[in-house]
Amino acid sequence: MMSMQELKDLKLNELVEAARGWGEVSKRAYESRGKLDKEIVPKLTDVTKGMGTIAAAARLGRLGRNYQYIHTECGLMQVSLSGLAEELAAPQRRLLDALADAEHLGFTVHPDCSVSYPAAGPEIDGQKPQGDTVRRSDGMFGRIMDDVRAAANLNPNAAKAQDIADAIGSALSEARTIDGQYAAAVRRLKAEQGLDVTENTWADVSKDAGAVHGAADDVYKDDIPLNQSPADRKEWWNGLSEDDKIAYLAAYPDTIGNLDGIPAVARDEANRTYLPQLMGKLADQGDEASMTKLDGLRGIQDKLNAGSQPPMFLLGVGDQGNGRAIVSFGNPDTATNVSAYVPGLGTKLDGSFAGGTVKRAYDTAVGAQKLDPSSASIVWLGYDAPQDIDVMSEDDARNGAPAYSSFMEGLSATNDHGDAAHITAIGHSYGSLTVGQATQLHDGGIPGVDDIILVGSPGVGVDKATDLGVDPGHVFVGAADNDVVTKLPSKGESKAAIGGTVLGGIVGTFTGPPIVGTVTGAISGGLGGYGIAETFDRGHDDIYFGKDPASEAFGATRFRVDPGPELVDVKFPEFWETRPDLSAHSNYFTPEKDQMSADNIAAIVAGEPGKIIPEARR
């Protein structure tokens, strides 16, 4: 344990210099990795092809991972040492002040932190009250008792000595606690002999980062403007030195990478740094849910490694809930046109996410860039989309809406074009309800959003396009004729049908033949209940979460889409093998399956709504 003399003699500037040294190594590794990824590997693969090139690229990839590991671990060491120096400054100052007070008063401070004081005070029988030695009070009760004794002591030095002993003891106790926390973190920061950076290595790095965060958060994370606006966060980030930015990217990539208002390039770099740590953590946990998310992250990693045109930016990643991932094709800070699509029912971070949901954003970006090269498209899985029966509830949409609204506000804050940027919110399926809920959080709708696209929507929680915070002429709807989700019965109709089914089944049990009477009664009762409820839906335009966005009553612009395959295509003699086909609900973004819809969405995203092909409202 740290002694009083060690705390007194501690040269904090040496810790600061050591931190700078580790930071310099971290910075060089960061720059070397960037040069590899952005210059050397692309030039190598552009100039030559063949097995030799593939082997060389693989070796360079391994070197890049090593640089990434060095950047992270040395950055964690930098944060640890600089945090230790900053946190020890206060207790060291209190110790030095207490020792100076003792010296001024002529007291003696012993190595065990006890304080001796001389005789002083009024003479009694020709003698002054004797001096004595005191120690730090033991707890609250001990402090009270020591204060009582000091007050009763006629020697005025007694109380002063007790104060000094308590100050010394308190400073040393705090310093020992700080030292112990940082020592535990620093002891973790060591590499195995013959390092090979694998998933297991990154699992260890994740634990290293957790240990450092536990010690240094009070110094470093408290400076991150977590509770400020995206605009304030952008200003904070832009005000940092390059060295500080690199340190934050090394030590807090999970925080920086998921913070709305941080520029896209920095978020992408942070998340690429954090991605292997998160994958290692999930692999180490090994449970079914973790392995499902790990499959999703591996798919994203493969896409990042393969590269793309438009280029891919990883704007968010996490293991909360069913997983988090935000992927952009094109830089949303430099693009004039930016869209962010919210997926719906059944979407989660799993093995199909990168090849399915992410591809929708890619297809939209490619289509939009044909009309305006300055376009970027994002898929935003920043919430838990419903997975099963909870799709009938608005809870997931309400819970996800604030995060989506914040993200969109962040896009506006970091976009180079300012108010001239054209930003589109896209909601598919249940994701359209999430977008709808986000429009209700602020006067004027979702911050920065100019256009809204709703496809395959079961309703958005409002009854008119004018309630979404933008001019109704800027609300666009795609609803395939064979997409049953866009024709769901309203809640009233559903409840009446269920009630009629139950009641009809009960009545049929007692009035008809066994089984047949029950089934017949249930069917007739359900249809009857549905029919009664439907009479109150005079325009036949109510669906599960409000008015049908494709309806005349809602007042949006409907664009043409392919009707999609019929729900049930009965074929004989394979009748018993017939299964419902729900793909009409999923084809809106995919040119190979619905070129009409994909082109219309791309036109809106590119700021060319005059090029869409409209369709009559229902």
Side-chain angles (χ1 to χ4, degrees), residues 335-397:
T336 303
N337 307 296
V338 184
S339 68
Y341 137 63
V342 184
L345 174 65
T347 309
K348 61 181 177 180
L349 186 59
D350 60 9
S352 66
F353 180 76
T357 309
V358 171
K359 183 179 180 297
R360 293 173 179 172
Y362 171 79
D363 286 337
T364 298
V366 170
Q369 288 195 0
K370 290 178 181 178
L371 298 173
D372 186 344
S374 185
S375 299
S377 182
I378 300 166
V379 55
W380 182 87
L381 184 61
Y383 82 125
D384 279 332
Q387 300 299 303
D388 41 49
I389 192 63
D390 55 347
V391 74
M392 309 310 286
S393 166
E394 296 181 7
D395 290 348
D396 288 331

Side-chain angles (χ1 to χ4, degrees), residues 411-455:
L411 290 181
S412 297
T414 58
N415 192 279
D416 294 344
H417 301 281
D419 292 340
H422 170 239
I423 297 179
T424 303
I426 306 177
H428 173 234
S429 184
Y430 188 90
S432 66
L433 178 62
T434 304
V435 171
Q437 293 294 315
T439 67
Q440 304 304 297
L441 297 177
H442 306 283
D443 291 339
I446 303 172
V449 167
D450 302 292
D451 290 330
I452 295 175
I453 300 175
L454 309 168
V455 289

Side-chain angles (χ1 to χ4, degrees), residues 152-482:
N153 194 325
L154 295 179
N155 187 334
N157 287 330
K160 297 175 183 178
Q162 188 63 59
D163 287 341
I164 291 173
D166 287 341
I168 291 172
S170 173
L172 187 57
S173 176
E174 181 181 348
R176 285 172 173 170
T177 298
I178 294 169
D179 183 56
Q181 290 174 337
Y182 279 94
V186 169
R187 276 194 293 269
R188 287 200 54 88
L189 301 178
K190 58 183 180 181
E192 298 296 330
Q193 194 72 21
L195 175 66
D196 184 19
V197 180
T198 65
E199 264 186 6
N200 289 335
T201 307
W202 287 115
D204 191 62
V205 172
S206 179
K207 294 174 183 176
D208 294 348
V212 172
H213 293 172
D217 275 0
D218 288 346
V219 175
Y220 275 86
K221 197 168 186 179
D222 281 358
D223 289 339
I224 301 175
L226 298 176
N227 298 317
Q228 296 184 28
S229 70
D232 289 336
R233 293 167 184 165
K234 177 191 176 185
E235 183 178 358
W236 168 79
W237 180 259
N238 290 342
L240 294 175
S241 68
E242 288 304 309
D243 288 352
D244 284 341
K245 289 177 181 177
I246 293 171
Y248 274 111
L249 290 173
Y252 291 94
D254 53 332
T255 301
I256 300 301
N258 290 282
L259 196 60
D260 301 324
I262 300 299
V265 170
R267 287 184 73 158
D268 178 63
E269 290 179 352
N271 286 311
R272 288 176 189 247
T273 296
Y274 179 54
L275 182 59
Q277 294 182 39
L278 182 57
M279 293 171 68
K281 171 188 170 184
L282 292 171
D284 189 52
Q285 291 174 176
D287 58 277
E288 183 179 353
S290 295
M291 300 311 290
T292 297
K293 296 170 193 172
L294 180 58
D295 286 343
L297 294 177
R298 284 173 174 161
I300 291 173
Q301 181 72 77
D302 288 345
K303 280 190 171 294
L304 289 171
N305 291 340
S308 67
Q309 192 55 241
M312 182 174 171
F313 291 79
L314 187 57
L315 303 181
V317 67
D319 61 345
Q320 305 95 316
N322 292 319
R324 302 286 186 264
I326 306 171
V327 176
S328 178
F329 290 96
N331 186 337
D333 289 349
T334 59
T336 303
N337 307 296
V338 184
S339 68
Y341 137 63
V342 184
L345 174 65
T347 309
K348 61 181 177 180
L349 186 59
D350 60 9
S352 66
F353 180 76
T357 309
V358 171
K359 183 179 180 297
R360 293 173 179 172
Y362 171 79
D363 286 337
T364 298
V366 170
Q369 288 195 0
K370 290 178 181 178
L371 298 173
D372 186 344
S374 185
S375 299
S377 182
I378 300 166
V379 55
W380 182 87
L381 184 61
Y383 82 125
D384 279 332
Q387 300 299 303
D388 41 49
I389 192 63
D390 55 347
V391 74
M392 309 310 286
S393 166
E394 296 181 7
D395 290 348
D396 288 331
R398 287 198 183 104
N399 292 336
Y404 182 69
S405 179
S406 173
F407 178 75
M408 300 303 277
E409 184 178 0
L411 290 181
S412 297
T414 58
N415 192 279
D416 294 344
H417 301 281
D419 292 340
H422 170 239
I423 297 179
T424 303
I426 306 177
H428 173 234
S429 184
Y430 188 90
S432 66
L433 178 62
T434 304
V435 171
Q437 293 294 315
T439 67
Q440 304 304 297
L441 297 177
H442 306 283
D443 291 339
I446 303 172
V449 167
D450 302 292
D451 290 330
I452 295 175
I453 300 175
L454 309 168
V455 289
S457 177
V460 295
V462 301
D463 289 336
K464 292 185 179 295
T466 53
D467 297 330
L468 294 176
V470 297
D471 186 279
H474 290 268
V475 180
F476 302 89
V477 176
D481 286 343
N482 292 322

